[in-house]
Amino acid sequence: MLTRRQILTTAVATPLIGAPAIINAQSWFAGYPFALGVTSGDPAPDGFVIWTKLAPRPFEPHGGMPMAPLPVKWEVASDDRFKTVVATGEAVARPELGHSVHVEVTGLQPDRPYWYRFTLGSDQSSRGRARTLPLPSASPAALKFGVAGCQNYEDGLFTAFRHLAREDDLAFVYHYGDFIYEYQQRGPDYDKDGLPTPQVRQHIGQDCFDLADYRLRYAQYLSDYDLQAARAKHTWFPTFDDHEVENNWVGDANWKDVPQEIFRLRRQAGLQAWYEYMPVRAAMLPRNGIITNMYREARFGDLLSIDFLDTRSFRSDQPCDDGFKPYCTGIDDNKAQVISPEEESWLVRNLTRGQAKWNCVAQQVMMMSLDRRRYADEKQKIYNIDSWAAYTTQRNRLLAKMRGLDNVVVLTGDEHQNFAGLLESEGKPVAVEFVSTSISSGGDGSDLRTGSDVMMKNSPELKFINDQRGYLLCEVTPDAWTTRFRVVDQVSTPGAPIRTRASITVPHGQPSLAIA
């Protein structure tokens, strides 16, 4: 009697009656089964998640895979030539999850790099690099990590990801979301002068509504080798924002006023696809159509405690019908929330327990309440309703909890611009916020967007603004936090060099900014 493993192995080795007993898996699959690359994520002191997805024909239904579970061998080594393999095993790639593989590796040493790879038949994946976190009891002298997100495939090339892959000694990369964009552009893009310009490249398929749509969109994004390079080189902490499902969705609400019970089906499909393509743990598998515990914590010894928020799943609907608008009474609704009461209590406990020199809040939408007016003749303050600025009660409550800590840095995305500024409670700074620009969303950009001077004048807490594409590098020591804004000049053509547009330092114990 064949064992289950033998049955699975036979499915790979002898797919056809009368086929040779020994067959090259490449000749069975229509293409290379690891075409979407490898990555690692959610590191811990003793391990991390390693990921791949079988897709010999990524743009075909089911990635060109048969509807059968297949065994995938994995290896983790302490050297990049795999002379010393320290962990190995076999995972089952299941069709229900699009033949994705999420291996939670444990038993490794803290605070060091490892290398990993996958094998199916005679096909072997590319090599990935991962890194464990230090022990919570450790006292690291320094930490360096990256921050990136917002990568609209149609708006531009992923050149910045190639540069991010070349950044050395990163402990991890925090991805704040908008890994894909769910819609297909219908019409031209527009440059900084408002003139029509062609799209750099186009999405395959229609707007995303069901699981097949979302899978196809992820497959197209991950066919980009610049993105694959950054995913293979670094260990990631992924989170999602809105475009993984639909623009500006929150909770059960969507801007097209689709009935909630119908929208939940779309959200379920989008979040399942996100899970399938991200290097996250099984605890984040969607249940009842939602990921209930996307928010989570990581510790880098006693140097940094970082809390990753979920600002979409439990948020109440945007007031004022969303958009960029003047004040409306809904902004002060004392029942409105960006995060759930449970998530808020968890965050406050983590911030106030005093176990690390720095507290970092890694999340998706801006906390600074900026005045969004871009023209001098506008009379009323303009709010970004899809941000913390439109949820003043919970925002003020959280900022009040930061008073006296003097070690909080907030990391944000979504805006497609670089920002740096202060978060204030009762008129006094309590934290610093760094907002990372996009990888490609918004196109080439320029140093300053029209109206940036007006925004700076009307928003005294805002200290820096820039409208180019790129990512952040954060370097943390016990005495200071320095964020470097890394930018490229264009994403419409390949080969743009990377440079540091600004380097901004926060001294420990003093929520202030020094710009160089």
Side-chain angles (χ1 to χ4, degrees), residues 260-280:
Q260 291 185 357
E261 64 273 16
I262 303 300
F263 172 71
R264 291 188 197 111
L265 298 175
R266 185 179 187 183
R267 184 184 64 191
Q268 175 178 305
L271 293 180
Q272 177 175 335
W274 180 85
Y275 172 82
E276 288 180 2
Y277 284 85
M278 293 298 115
V280 293

Side-chain angles (χ1 to χ4, degrees), residues 149-161 175-183 189-190 200-201 203 221 242-243 413-418 436-446 449 466-470 488 491:
C150 291
Q151 54 214 47
N152 190 326
Y153 187 89
E154 294 189 325
D155 280 0
L157 305 174
F158 293 166
T159 309
F161 273 134
H175 194 283
Y176 48 79
D178 290 348
F179 193 95
I180 63 162
Y181 280 68
E182 80 288 4
Y183 55 78
D189 282 335
Y190 293 88
V200 176
R201 46 191 182 175
H203 284 144
Y221 277 55
D242 54 335
H243 288 289
D414 187 61
E415 295 279 344
H416 306 170
Q417 292 189 83
N418 286 311
S436 177
T437 187
S438 60
I439 289 290
S440 62
S441 301
D444 286 337
S446 58
R449 188 177 295 184
N466 166 261
D467 184 30
Q468 292 167 292
R469 310 285 77 82
V488 294
V491 293

